[in-house]
Structures are given as C-alpha cells and as structure tokens.
Amino acid sequence: MNKLISMEEAVNLVRDGDTVMVGGFLGVGTPERLIDALIEKGVKDLTLICNDTAFVDRGVGKMVVAKMFKKIMTSHIGTNKETGRQMLEGETEVELIPQGTLVEQIRAGGYGLGGVLTKTGLGTEVEKGKLTINIDGQTYLLEKPIRANVALLFAERADEKGNLTFHGATRNFNTYMGTAADISIVEAQEIVKVGEINPDDVVVPGIFVTHIIDGGAL
Amino acid sequence: MMDKQQTQEFIAKRVALELNDGDLVNLGIGLPTLVANFVPEDREVYFQSENGFIGLGPVPAEDAVDPCIVNAGAMPVTILPGGSFFDSGMSFGIIRGGHVDTTVLGALQVAENGDIANYMIPGKMVPGMGGAMDLLSGAKKVIVAMEHTAKGNHKLLKECTLPLTAINAVDMIITEMGVIEVTPVGFVLIEQNPDFSIDEIKAATGAELIISESLKPMV
C-alpha cells in the first residue's frame, strides 16, 4: 500500500464540515505546509480539535484568521487574539477543555475506551452538564471520548510505511491523534525507505498513519 | 520600597526555598518562571515543561536555538543532560498521576478554603485553562506565587468571585508581604516580611488572617 501522496491529494482529503485534529503545541510540531495548502484551497465549516490556537501567523492560528472553523475544541486561545474575538462576537463556537483532559479524550477515542474519569475540572465550569461518578469514595468527572474525520500530523521522519520518529517537544498530540481519526495525514520533514528507522526508535507505529506527505526541512 | 522586578524576584527567591532535592517541579508562566533562577545550589530540582519534557534548561544563545525545543510558552529553551522528551499523554499522566511534587502558579484570586481562580475574567480575558486545572488537581503541593493585592484590590478572599480553576487546591501562598499556609481553619501567616506590619498585611487580605504562634521573619 502506497501511503505517499502529493500536497494536492492531501488537501482533497479534507472536506467542508469535517472534524479535524491537528498536532502541535503553540505551532511546534504542527504540519505548517499542509495548513498553508488547506488555507489556499479554502475548506470551511470545520471543527478543530487542537491543544491551542497558536498565533495569528503560525500553525492552526492561520486557519482561525482564514475563518475556516465553525467550532474549536481546545485548551488555550490566549496567544491568538483572533480566536478570542471570534468567540466573544459569536462567530465561532469555542469549547475550552483542560489540556490533560483533551489528550485523554482523544486517547479514549482512539483506544476503544468509553471515557475517562478524572478529578480535573471538578467544581469548575468544566463540570457543567457532565456526569460525576463515585469510585471507592472518590468523586470523578466523566469525560467522553472524541474522534475526528481527519488528523493532520507532523513528524521529523516517516518511513514509507508511516512509522514515525520525533525530535524535541514535537510529539505532543501527534502520537494520539492518528489513533482517533478515520484518516491521518503526516507531514514529515524527511521520508526514508522502510528499514531505515530502527523498530526500537519508532514512536508512532505506521498502522496509525494512512497518508504521508513530504514537508521538507523546517 | 521594592519596584515590580525586585518584588517578583523577592517572591521567587522565597518560593525556591520550598523546593526539595530531587523534586519534580512545574512552573507556571510569568513570576513562577523566575523561581528556576533561585534554586539553592545544594539541591537538584527537575523542571517539567508540560509541552513534553523534563530537564528544562536555560535560554540558549541565539545561534543555538532549536525551533523544536521550546517551553510551554513557545520560547526557545534547552534540555539539560539527563532530560527526556515525551508526548502530551505522558506529560499529563505525570501531572495528573501525582508525580509532580510541586507546582508554582500565579492567581487572580485565592479563597481561604484553597479555591483558586486564575484562568479567566468573563467577557474580558478568556485565554483558556491550558494545563492549569490538571496541575492544580494533580500536583502534590500547590504554591501560589503572586503579589499580595492587585493594585490594592484583595486577591486573598473568603470566597473567589471569578470562575474557579480548581477547588480546595492551594497549599501555600507566597507574596511580597509574607508566607501563608492554607489550612482547614483558613489562612495562617507563618512568615512576615519585616517591611510590613501585621496590620498592613491583615488590611491587604480580604479574609481572616490567623497569625501563627511560631511566626518567623521572611527572608
């Protein structure tokens, strides 16, 4: 199975109204070139699931500026004024989710779990409308799994089977999102032949990657 | 009278004394970040960066910046020898699993029962909680490092009026005026900055302030 595709083929896999998960933490570990190509194509009414909305000129922040989202599920929007403006003026729905809860919801979505029980958010706005469950005398909040149509990921290296390695703090959400989406497209800085990545060094197994694009060096 | 920078460094220096040899520590942005500069030399403390590593090191020289090694505020940093990178699942497993010994955070308001509000002012400032709710519910010890009042307005209160980031979470508050423990009976002043009188500290506190019988000067 050939997973290598062109940028044009990649952007055609994202459709209006899709829910998209995008890897990255304030734009670090985000598939920037894929994002640029999606903005150029002009996809709309997307639901975004991402740690944060980065900056107006970086990462998914550029997609916020291009008004591509009808809903954003994220832990932090403070570095991108445009997200705050769109939220306060009612243009875009923003659901703020604690960072650890967000990654666990994605993991639950990808790992076949019915949800996650956590103390994070108890007694706060996050608890509103959610079930609390008592386990052995301790109260927990039930957070449900989330999934997406497409995951847009970044890696330092991919082999042709989609096995991924990472550098620095770029792993963040990239290791989970591919498990919880129907399609996962990885923008790799470098694509290598099968066998060139030692199986001991693989961080994300290739089964979680459906498509690979060559992003080139940062 | 200390200026803003001196005040922040005075607070950060005192916070650093709370960190023990071998502790894993997570520092919030702003004032708490300064704490790393004042760790006593006889202690080895590991700093976590919640975007995915332990071993947070100093800012690199401009020609040594690696765009993939940044702190949780996206500023270039380094990773120290013995450090490790991991993903957000493990990073928050470390936080939520009780593996962080101490977290140091700023606050807008702290209540005498340990409730804390530090992530939004409705209609004005809504940045989101990021990892703050996880840190507050997961870290073994929560220290709030902040100026005692906001331009004279009380931040230490009977009850928070802003949306809460967590309930019953704060263990200790360190300000330019003193060190306060959050106990089942409320705020207890255990150290006093001799530059301020007890009456001044009480007046700057919007809840009952119990004075410890073993009150010490804050250094």
Side-chain angles (χ1 to χ4, degrees):
Chain A
M1 182 185 169
N2 180 27
K3 295 184 176 181
L4 293 175
I5 58 171
S6 67
M7 190 63 87
E8 192 185 352
E9 288 171 301
V11 295
N12 285 331
L13 293 169
V14 183
R15 297 186 168 85
D16 290 351
D18 272 356
T19 296
V20 293
M21 291 179 175
V22 185
F25 192 116
L26 292 177
V28 176
T30 285
E32 289 285 348
R33 285 170 193 168
L34 191 46
I35 284 170
D36 289 339
L38 281 169
I39 291 169
E40 200 178 323
K41 186 194 168 198
V43 196
K44 61 179 192 298
D45 297 329
L46 300 174
T47 294
L48 172 70
I49 299 167
C50 189
N51 178 60
D52 53 75
T53 56
F55 305 94
V56 290
D57 57 354
R58 186 163 184 196
V60 295
K62 294 181 287 190
M63 297 172 80
V64 175
V65 172
K67 302 188 177 173
M68 296 167 75
F69 302 118
K70 68 169 191 285
K71 182 177 181 185
I72 295 173
M73 299 165 75
T74 188
S75 78
H76 199 260
I77 63 172
T79 54
N80 188 330
K81 283 199 166 72
E82 177 62 12
T83 315
R85 188 199 64 76
Q86 289 181 17
M87 177 175 73
L88 291 174
E89 292 182 18
E91 288 176 28
T92 306
E93 182 187 350
V94 177
E95 183 181 348
L96 293 169
I97 301 169
Q99 202 165 121
T101 295
L102 182 60
V103 71
E104 287 296 315
Q105 287 182 289
I106 295 166
R107 193 178 66 88
Y111 282 33
L113 306 178
V116 177
L117 296 173
T118 180
K119 289 187 173 295
T120 299
L122 279 176
T124 75
E125 304 255 337
V126 170
E127 185 183 317
K128 282 185 186 162
K130 291 176 187 161
L131 205 59
T132 55
I133 295 175
N134 191 293
I135 310 271
D136 296 337
Q138 297 282 315
T139 303
Y140 296 91
L141 194 56
L142 173 67
E143 295 282 8
K144 292 182 180 174
I146 51 181
R147 289 186 58 88
N149 303 105
V150 187
L152 307 176
L153 311 175
F154 171 88
E156 182 185 41
R157 284 204 301 165
D159 72 14
E160 291 165 334
K161 297 270 184 211
N163 293 303
L164 307 180
T165 68
F166 293 85
H167 167 62
T170 60
R171 295 181 194 199
N172 50 66
F173 284 65
N174 285 302
T175 54
Y176 295 100
M177 287 175 163
T179 72
D182 303 332
I183 295 170
S184 57
I185 309 167
V186 171
E187 175 182 319
Q189 277 181 267
E190 187 189 1
I191 298 169
V192 298
K193 297 274 179 218
V194 168
E196 285 191 40
I197 298 177
N198 185 325
D200 278 336
D201 297 334
V202 172
V203 176
V204 174
I207 57 156
F208 295 122
V209 174
T210 57
H211 303 282
I212 307 162
I213 53 176
D214 188 351
L218 277 179
Chain B
M1 188 77 183
M2 297 182 283
D3 66 21
K4 184 141 185 122
Q5 190 189 339
Q6 287 168 327
T7 302
Q8 295 204 338
E9 287 181 356
F10 177 76
I11 296 168
K13 214 168 172 176
R14 178 60 190 83
V15 172
L17 297 179
E18 291 298 313
L19 309 180
N20 302 305
D21 191 38
D23 274 1
L24 177 61
V25 176
N26 188 301
L27 302 176
I29 52 166
L31 195 168
T33 307
L34 300 175
V35 173
N37 302 335
F38 298 107
V39 178
E41 277 181 17
D42 61 342
R43 297 170 211 184
E44 189 173 16
V45 172
Y46 305 96
F47 290 104
Q48 180 201 22
S49 193
E50 67 261 27
N51 54 324
F53 58 108
I54 287 172
L56 185 60
V59 175
E62 220 165 285
D63 58 356
V65 167
D66 180 333
C68 296
I69 304 177
V70 298
N71 65 17
M75 302 309 288
V77 291
T78 47
I79 183 165
L80 299 171
S84 54
F85 290 114
F86 35 78
D87 62 35
S88 294
M90 182 170 285
S91 195
F92 281 83
I94 289 167
I95 291 167
R96 294 151 72 114
H99 309 288
V100 170
D101 294 292
T102 300
T103 186
V104 185
L105 297 167
L108 297 163
Q109 297 176 335
V110 182
E112 62 184 1
N113 66 350
D115 288 358
I116 175 170
N118 74 348
Y119 87 105
M120 70 182 284
I121 303 172
K124 270 191 185 169
M125 182 200 76
V126 191
M129 66 292 281
M133 286 190 179
D134 304 287
L135 282 161
L136 287 163
S137 66
K140 285 185 204 153
K141 181 173 182 176
V142 173
I143 299 176
V144 167
M146 63 177 190
E147 291 179 48
H148 204 97
T149 62
K151 292 173 187 152
N153 292 316
H154 289 157
K155 299 176 78 174
L156 277 63
L157 303 167
K158 274 195 86 61
E159 276 178 46
C160 296
T161 56
L162 292 168
L164 297 178
T165 319
I167 52 171
N168 308 125
V170 177
D171 298 298
M172 180 178 269
I173 304 159
I174 299 180
T175 77
E176 76 283 11
M177 291 186 157
V179 179
I180 292 157
E181 274 183 347
V182 181
T183 74
V185 292
F187 293 137
V188 178
L189 185 73
I190 60 167
E191 289 181 29
Q192 170 194 9
N193 179 349
D195 291 350
F196 299 93
S197 71
I198 294 290
D199 283 346
E200 281 175 318
I201 302 172
K202 279 188 169 173
T205 304
E208 191 192 346
L209 185 66
I210 300 162
I211 310 302
S212 169
E213 285 172 11
S214 51
L215 182 71
K216 286 188 283 209
M218 182 182 180
V219 286

